[in-house]
Amino acid sequence: MTPSAPAKLALEDGTVVTGTAVGAAGETSGELCFNTSMSGYQEILTDPSYSGQVMMMTYPHIGNYGAFEQATEADRPHVAGLVVRQFSRDPSNSRMEETLDAYMARMGLVGISGVDTRRLVRHIRTKGVMNCVISTVDLDDASLVAKAQAAPSMDGLELASQVTTGEAYDFSTEGTRALAVYDYGVKRNILRSFAHLGCRVRVFPASTPVAEVMAWEPDGVFFSNGPGDPRAMPDAIEAARAVIASGTPVFGICLGHQLMALAEGLEVYKMKVGHRGANHPVLNLTTGHVEISTQNHGFAVREEGLDGIAEVDHRNLNDQTVEGLRFSRFPGFSVQYHPEACPGPHDSRYLFDQFVALMDGDAPEPPAVPTPTATPTDA
């Protein structure tokens, strides 16, 4: 698109803003969310967990270091669209292979720049996330608002089947432990993290029968991140329940965390805004230390009903929501946030080591971290 080509963004509540087009020409819709990361925009764009969502970046300058293949978490963008305050069309980076604008155009990703993202973020924080439409081809306000209102709600929407692998494949064939991964939209860095720790990693489609997965004789099963409403995934919940019943060590991240909770009879609810960014503080209740985490979720596990099922061992310090569970009735644990980062800090990478220890039959040890000079509070 030319730098001056017009574009509009319309929300389902009637809000309409005008800006300039970036990336591909066309029209797109999805749930408008915001991400507070200051960098890592290409990892965000290619994270399958963002399928069905239009991503608004709170950091004002996006695209300033271009785009390159090594920064991707999947083979294509999965966000529905991109909203930014100021788009850099003259990036500088020795690793750059193309501009972000060229990457988005090549991948068919529609975006809009020149938007007062600060005002829109405040609007979303007050009203809650809602559907929107970005268009470079239809600039009629009433038409765009109607399209946003007609877009499917994320509440009750199953999306993992759209991003999972088509067939099982081996990500890593070398290692002393066999890890089976249920792919609901798994990020590459999760797979790399396990492979780095000496795991043979086989990735299975989301609909794979548990009997087929267990026939591979895994030492552990991982339930991955992914998009959509976990409550709309009864087959995945049943799969988690069957794996849990087998006694095999289990680990879940994000959507996988929610599926494990649902399999154990806990409740999951849709959040008003959700958590998306690479700077969210999480209190590790085992060590008393605060970890800065990468987050990307619009659903959360309800804390009521945990007795005898699981205990909360990680808690979000911004809103006190559940960020991690240690389960009582089987060898397994799960976290709502993303310890693999990409983008983001690596404070919680020890969780992969803990799960490898669990696969080896050892009780996970708390991470070796220095004693804090001050006791964290949950204020």
Side-chain angles (χ1 to χ4, degrees), residues 340-364:
E340 81 288 349
C342 273
H346 299 152
D347 297 26
S348 308
R349 186 169 283 178
Y350 66 86
L351 289 166
F352 293 100
D353 298 274
Q354 288 191 349
F355 187 59
V356 168
L358 192 61
M359 286 194 288
D360 289 342
D362 301 325

Side-chain angles (χ1 to χ4, degrees), residues 43-60:
E43 291 91 335
I44 292 166
L45 295 180
T46 55
D47 182 348
S49 295
Y50 285 126
S51 179
Q53 296 178 326
V54 172
M55 192 51 53
M56 175 167 51
M57 303 299 295
T58 64
Y59 189 70

Side-chain angles (χ1 to χ4, degrees), residues 286-352:
T286 302
T287 66
H289 292 83
V290 175
E291 302 164 13
I292 303 303
S293 66
T294 295
Q295 306 225 0
N296 168 18
H297 61 99
F299 294 83
V301 174
R302 198 176 299 280
E303 191 162 349
E304 292 78 7
L306 286 176
D307 290 350
I309 296 175
E311 63 178 18
V312 178
D313 66 348
H314 292 81
R315 186 178 299 283
N316 191 292
L317 290 181
N318 288 334
D319 61 8
Q320 304 301 306
T321 52
V322 174
E323 292 284 359
L325 293 172
R326 294 274 170 173
F327 291 91
S328 305
R329 302 192 287 200
F330 65 93
F333 58 92
S334 62
V335 289
Q336 182 63 79
Y337 58 97
H338 284 260
E340 81 288 349
C342 273
H346 299 152
D347 297 26
S348 308
R349 186 169 283 178
Y350 66 86
L351 289 166
F352 293 100

Side-chain angles (χ1 to χ4, degrees), residues 160 164-165 179-187 190-191 201-214 218 220-226 233 235-243 250-253 255-256 259:
T164 188
T165 179
L179 176 70
V181 174
Y182 263 99
D183 176 19
Y184 302 113
V186 68
K187 292 172 62 181
I190 290 177
L191 303 178
V201 181
R202 179 168 292 182
V203 183
F204 293 89
S207 61
T208 306
V210 172
E212 182 178 332
V213 173
M214 302 310 290
V221 177
F222 174 74
F223 290 96
S224 84
N225 61 291
M233 302 172 63
D235 291 343
I237 296 169
E238 285 303 317
R241 191 170 288 134
V243 171
V250 188
F251 180 27
I253 288 177
L255 181 69
L259 291 172

